[in-house]
Amino acid sequence: MLTINNLHASVDGKKILNGINLEVKKGEVHAIMGPNGSGKSTLASVLAGREKFQVTAGNIDFDGIDLLELSSEVRSREGIFLAFQYPVEIPGVSITNFMKAAVNEHRKHKGLEPIAPSAFLRLMKEKKALVEMEAKLSNRSVNEGFSGGEKKKNEIFQMAMLEPKLAVLDETDSGLDIDALRIVANGVNKLKTSENASIVITHYQRLLDYIVPDIIHVLYNGRIVKTGGRELALELEEKGYDWIKKEDDGK
Amino acid sequence: MKKDDDKIINEFANKEYEAGFTTEIDMDVFPKGLSENIVRAISAKKEEPEFMLEFRLKAFRYWKKMSEPNWAHLSYKKPDFQDISYYAAPKNTPKFNSLDEVDPELLDTFEKLGIPLDEQKVLAGVAVDAVIDSVSVHTTFRETLLEKGIIFCSFSDALKEYPKLIKKYLGTVVPYSDNYYAALNAAVFSDGSFAYIPKGVKCPMELSTYFRINAANTGQFERTLLVADAGSKVSYLEGCTAPVRDENQLHAAVVEIVAMENADVKYSTVQNWYPGDKNGKGGIYNFVTKRGICRGANSKISWTQVETGSAITWKYPSTILKGDNSIGEFYSVAVTNNMQQADTGTKMIHLGRNTKSTIVSKGISLGHSSNSYRGLVTVAKNASNARNFSQCDSLLIGDKCGAHTFPYIEVNNQTATVEHEATTSKISEDQVFYCQQRGLDSESAVSLIVNGFAKEVLNQLPMEFAVEAQKLLSLTLEGSVG
Ligand SMILES: Nc1ncnc2c1ncn2[C@@H]1O[C@H](COP(=O)(O)OP(=O)(O)OP(=O)(O)O)[C@@H](O)[C@H]1O
Ligand SMILES: [Mg+2]
């Protein structure tokens, strides 16, 4: 589904990604771990097409299309979803209106009519239930005054609404209490099919108890320096990143 | 980050002004220039009662002694008052009693603007007075309203049919000596709307006046008088557009509102005069005096304005809170793009006890425009327990525009509470990207964010017009982002 080939990217002249190679197949869950500042969020942003990041080399293939050719909104409509590490506030715009606009853009892209109001409300209700989001939250402005946990839930709710092919979850677990973590993870698991895939960025092995990854990658200095199975997460939990840094710096 | 903001902004091209067409009709236009003779001629043309001519002449003599104000945060070439024609009207059409008599070109004009004058087609529940250049061409639903005792007609008709009412209220809220443009308007105004809601009557439909400047080299000077008698309720809406022309055109209107005891008046404006082109060529100079008085106890006047047009806007809808417990509200969204300049705000004059005022002003600036809020809150000695809350928010899109806030507060009673809050923000690249990641293009994203910013004010508009206003805001921003 997704093939990243020798991806280099920089921001404001600073090189951040230095040759990423990654292949994600349909039905897979990949986890990306790595020390702070290693480039995890940058990779997520580049996948989503954020313009402030310049891709200086490499390419990304997404289901046969050259992803780098597409604007960020078209990537979204093609099925790429990013759950933000720091969700953004949009004062005065209710989640309901925001989602209606988003859903209709996605439908238009598929050549469908705008969604009927009743169908939309039903969809909202169903997806809110999935992440146990408080019903009233959707009348509030997007992320404005939300608690850290509510913001993260809202991201997964939006993901549920848009049903992406590829979801990138950037530290969706941070700031969640134990119950919320379970709820959010369950939500993600319920959305999983054999046709879609996700990339889960996290610092904690704990999340991976709930969302079980097929493959784990470690990102360091803008490159994937280690790839392994579930045991890699446990090893990192125990030993930290020093050994990986040393290994890599020694090369 | 910086770069992307620039990109977003630079791709803001000039929006096409959709109402910018002209109508080819025979016009009766006075020669350019202003003199006592012209004032007399306007009055004669309209076959006005003697008191009206006197009012005009007094105003004209007073105006001649005044000089144009220059305290506003605006810079422009002062209009040459001798280079303007003060009367222009579609020919041979003094007044239409039936739509069959109206020039089809004119009907077309209003249809194109989305203001059908055919009562069958008109928005349900909205009565319209259509004013083109200097005269009212048609008022819908006059009879229906009259059954309830509600008078809604053009100012000229009112002068003929209800001279006593006009004489009683004209100039009581905005005297001709009030300011330079108000004096000019008093001397040369040609038409406008008049509404009277009798005691205890709740007006069953929205009243609205639609102003259209069509002729070139003319000024538009209309006057609106709204009287809400004790216990009555009315919602009134005004809309305006003008063709695209290279020269600046002057619009100097006066609106007076009188609210008696327990009356409730809501006055909404969606102003979309031609703003001039990208380089600041052409556009309407909008110098308007709007004031209401809450004369009786427990009365309420609420102003809502959505200002997107005009090259220059100079406008401060104000409320005199004379009756005890009376309430004044001002909700405003002003958008300036390209070279537009707006200096707008309100005055809340607290005279009565327990009077309350709320001011919510949202300024949105783009391009090289300048957007100023100017507000005055006065609490008189006897206005015990007066309360005011003001909120002024500015949203800047790009770094070549400016937003300014000039709040003036004069409190002469210690029991008063006056609160003022102000914020300035920018649309961040973060916000735009967040929306894009959900599938909205950057233009829709900016439009959504701007509408969100202005929501508190848009919510005040009557339903049908809120949708219109939202569209208008989006249109103003169109092409603004890439
Ligand atoms: N606009 C920018 N200008 C300069 N440096 C930037 C900019 N944006 C990100 N960086 C740098 O890029 C590097 C990678 O940042 P990124 O956010 O991708 O890290 P991360 O792996 O997600 O870290 P964390 O675990 O803390 O979330 C960091 O050193 C960061 O400071
Ligand atoms: Mg990060």
Side-chain angles (χ1 to χ4, degrees):
Chain A
M1 169 183 283
L2 180 79
T3 311
I4 302 178
N5 187 8
N6 188 33
L7 184 69
H8 290 252
S10 56
V11 60
D12 293 340
K14 186 182 164 194
K15 291 195 70 183
I16 299 175
L17 300 183
N18 299 302
I20 303 257
N21 293 295
L22 179 68
E23 169 139 28
V24 178
K25 296 201 181 69
K26 279 201 281 192
E28 286 182 346
V29 176
H30 288 235
I32 296 184
M33 304 183 79
N36 294 130
S38 56
K40 302 181 296 298
S41 295
T42 302
L43 174 60
S45 294
V46 170
L47 280 174
R50 190 166 193 159
E51 285 185 30
K52 72 175 179 182
F53 294 94
Q54 288 97 45
V55 174
T56 51
N59 55 63
I60 307 176
D61 178 279
F62 179 62
D63 263 352
I65 41 181
D66 179 357
L67 203 62
L68 297 177
E69 286 296 307
L70 304 182
S71 65
S72 39
E73 63 269 21
V74 175
R75 292 186 202 192
S76 161
R77 297 170 199 162
E78 284 288 335
I80 290 195
F81 182 90
L82 170 59
F84 285 69
Q85 181 175 4
Y86 305 108
V88 181
E89 300 187 359
I90 311 178
V93 178
S94 69
I95 292 185
T96 306
N97 278 343
F98 185 56
M99 275 296 104
K100 198 184 284 164
V103 165
N104 283 335
E105 290 292 353
H106 281 242
R107 289 177 66 92
K108 194 160 91 190
H109 191 67
K110 296 188 184 78
L112 298 172
E113 292 289 300
I115 190 167
S118 57
F120 178 71
L121 290 178
R122 230 177 302 128
L123 187 68
M124 289 276 290
K125 203 167 163 191
E126 177 197 325
K127 303 303 185 186
K128 275 192 277 191
L130 190 78
V131 290
E132 299 182 26
M133 189 159 104
E134 214 202 309
K136 274 182 281 176
L137 208 61
S138 53
N139 299 329
R140 283 176 48 188
S141 298
V142 178
N143 293 321
E144 198 183 29
F146 284 23
S147 74
E150 285 168 341
K151 283 184 184 171
K152 295 300 171 83
K153 264 194 187 176
N154 183 22
E155 294 295 291
I156 302 306
F157 160 73
Q158 294 181 39
M159 168 181 157
M161 289 292 290
L162 298 175
E163 297 185 331
K165 283 193 214 157
L166 176 70
V168 182
L169 312 184
D170 193 354
E171 296 197 28
T172 301
D173 53 334
S174 67
L176 292 179
D177 66 36
I178 315 248
D179 294 332
L181 179 69
R182 193 176 31 80
I183 292 164
V184 163
N186 278 342
V188 172
N189 287 334
K190 279 187 211 151
L191 293 169
K192 191 178 157 184
T193 69
S194 57
E195 292 301 307
N196 62 23
S198 36
I199 297 175
V200 178
I201 297 171
T202 183
H203 284 294
Y204 304 103
Q205 127 73 20
R206 198 184 54 173
L207 175 71
L208 306 179
D209 287 340
Y210 293 100
I211 304 176
V212 181
D214 299 297
I215 302 170
I216 295 177
H217 309 275
V218 178
L219 198 68
Y220 177 55
N221 277 340
R223 277 181 305 117
I224 290 175
V225 294
K226 215 165 189 64
T227 294
R230 292 225 43 209
E231 67 292 343
L232 182 56
L234 295 165
E235 196 176 356
L236 289 171
E237 184 101 328
E238 193 182 321
K239 301 201 281 191
Y241 287 112
D242 272 2
W243 62 284
I244 286 188
K245 290 182 186 171
K246 277 207 197 88
E247 242 180 61
D248 188 65
D249 297 342
K251 276 180 198 163
Chain B
M1 173 86 203
K2 184 68 211 20
K3 220 198 207 126
D4 286 282
D5 282 349
D6 283 355
K7 184 161 185 284
I8 291 172
I9 286 126
N10 284 335
E11 287 167 17
F12 265 98
N14 194 15
K15 95 175 204 213
E16 290 293 325
Y17 180 75
E18 291 212 330
F21 59 91
T22 48
T23 309
E24 296 301 329
I25 35 169
D26 270 354
M27 297 292 284
D28 179 5
V29 182
F30 275 21
K32 287 178 181 180
L34 183 54
S35 63
E36 216 168 286
N37 281 339
I38 289 283
V39 175
R40 284 179 191 280
I42 293 171
S43 191
K45 184 106 201 161
K46 307 190 79 63
E47 301 162 22
E48 289 178 348
E50 189 57 28
F51 82 88
M52 199 60 243
L53 176 62
E54 272 166 35
F55 180 84
R56 288 179 182 280
L57 289 174
K58 267 192 270 179
F60 178 68
R61 287 168 197 149
Y62 195 87
W63 176 76
K64 276 205 302 193
K65 285 184 279 178
M66 300 174 88
S67 50
E68 205 171 346
N70 58 8
W71 43 261
H73 193 84
L74 302 169
S75 71
Y76 59 97
K77 194 170 149 281
K78 303 274 181 260
D80 177 353
F81 294 97
Q82 296 307 332
D83 197 35
I84 297 173
S85 167
Y86 289 83
Y87 185 85
K91 222 172 204 160
N92 305 325
T93 52
K95 190 65 203 178
F96 306 104
N97 294 315
S98 135
L99 278 185
D100 304 339
E101 300 166 34
V102 181
D103 186 335
E105 276 282 338
L106 266 183
L107 285 182
D108 237 36
T109 301
F110 282 97
E111 285 260 12
K112 253 199 253 180
L113 295 167
I115 324 282
L117 296 180
D118 186 338
E119 289 184 14
Q120 311 301 314
K121 287 195 211 157
V122 87
L123 283 167
V126 184
V128 180
D129 183 20
V131 177
I132 190 155
D133 295 318
S134 302
V135 295
S136 163
V137 289
H138 189 71
T139 311
T140 59
F141 295 109
R142 266 192 78 169
E143 281 74 36
T144 320
L145 290 166
L146 213 50
E147 281 163 22
K148 293 208 156 222
I150 298 166
I151 301 168
F152 179 49
C153 62
S154 71
F155 209 98
S156 319
D157 285 357
L159 268 172
K160 293 202 180 84
E161 295 169 41
Y162 313 98
K164 275 197 199 130
L165 273 176
I166 301 275
K167 196 173 176 185
K168 183 168 171 193
Y169 293 106
L170 178 74
T172 59
V173 191
V174 181
Y176 64 76
S177 55
D178 192 80
N179 68 69
Y180 190 76
Y181 302 109
L184 179 63
N185 174 287
V188 303
F189 81 91
S190 42
D191 215 335
S193 301
F194 172 71
Y196 173 80
I197 323 296
K199 281 195 180 109
V201 172
K202 310 248 176 297
C203 188
M205 54 177 85
E206 301 278 340
L207 301 185
S208 93
T209 303
Y210 194 87
F211 297 107
R212 172 82 180 164
I213 296 180
N214 187 53
N217 302 311
T218 55
Q220 177 146 331
F221 306 91
E222 83 275 345
R223 202 163 175 111
T224 299
L225 176 58
L226 222 75
V227 180
D229 218 328
S232 68
K233 187 170 178 177
V234 63
S235 169
Y236 183 93
L237 186 117
E238 146 199 299
C240 5
T241 54
V244 170
R245 294 193 188 284
D246 282 351
E247 79 274 14
N248 296 111
Q249 275 182 286
L250 180 62
H251 172 252
V254 169
V255 173
E256 297 183 278
I257 300 177
V258 179
M260 308 303 276
E261 210 178 341
N262 294 310
D264 184 336
V265 179
K266 188 180 178 79
Y267 191 106
S268 315
T269 305
V270 176
Q271 188 262 111
N272 185 24
W273 294 118
Y274 177 54
D277 74 3
K278 219 180 343 197
N279 304 314
K281 194 170 170 91
I284 302 292
Y285 285 177
N286 192 33
F287 299 135
V288 174
T289 306
K290 292 184 166 175
R291 193 174 306 146
I293 182 164
C294 285
R295 204 183 270 183
N298 309 310
S299 54
K300 177 177 172 186
I301 295 177
S302 182
W303 300 98
T304 302
Q305 59 174 26
V306 176
E307 304 278 312
T308 63
S310 295
I312 294 182
T313 300
W314 180 98
K315 177 177 168 187
Y316 317 89
S318 307
T319 305
I320 301 167
L321 298 158
K322 185 156 177 270
D324 290 347
N325 312 313
S326 58
I327 296 174
E329 292 174 344
F330 174 76
Y331 296 93
S332 169
V333 178
V335 191
T336 53
N337 196 353
N338 299 318
M339 305 299 280
Q340 279 178 277
Q341 303 176 59
D343 192 301
T344 183
T346 185
K347 291 185 214 167
M348 293 290 176
I349 318 289
H350 292 257
L351 303 179
R353 285 171 299 160
N354 307 316
T355 46
K356 202 173 122 186
S357 64
T358 306
I359 299 171
V360 177
S361 161
K362 305 271 180 180
I364 300 154
S365 330
L366 301 88
H368 290 79
S369 68
S370 157
N371 202 328
S372 303
Y373 166 81
R374 188 181 303 276
L376 169 68
V377 175
T378 306
V379 178
K381 239 191 0 249
N382 299 323
S384 47
N385 298 316
R387 273 178 300 158
N388 160 267
F389 174 75
S390 303
Q391 170 84 45
C392 299
D393 299 324
S394 307
L395 183 68
L396 300 173
I397 304 178
D399 51 13
K400 294 182 184 69
C401 50
H404 316 272
T405 307
F406 304 99
Y408 305 93
I409 297 170
E410 292 166 10
V411 177
N412 298 305
N413 183 305
Q414 287 192 344
T415 61
T417 344
V418 175
E419 283 174 83
H420 178 91
E421 285 176 13
T423 65
T424 300
S425 52
K426 287 193 156 212
I427 292 186
S428 68
E429 186 262 346
D430 281 0
Q431 287 174 315
V432 174
F433 177 63
Y434 190 75
C435 296
Q436 285 177 302
Q437 212 304 302
R438 299 306 185 242
L440 280 65
D441 60 27
S442 49
E443 198 169 278
S444 313
V446 169
S447 170
L448 190 80
I449 295 164
V450 166
N451 274 296
F453 173 76
K455 186 173 150 196
E456 242 182 300
V457 175
L458 298 177
N459 279 350
Q460 296 294 324
L461 289 171
M463 254 300 254
E464 306 89 319
F465 300 111
V467 176
E468 276 302 296
Q470 264 182 28
K471 272 195 231 145
L472 191 57
L473 276 187
S474 303
L475 259 181
T476 312
L477 304 168
E478 197 161 274
S480 301
V481 227

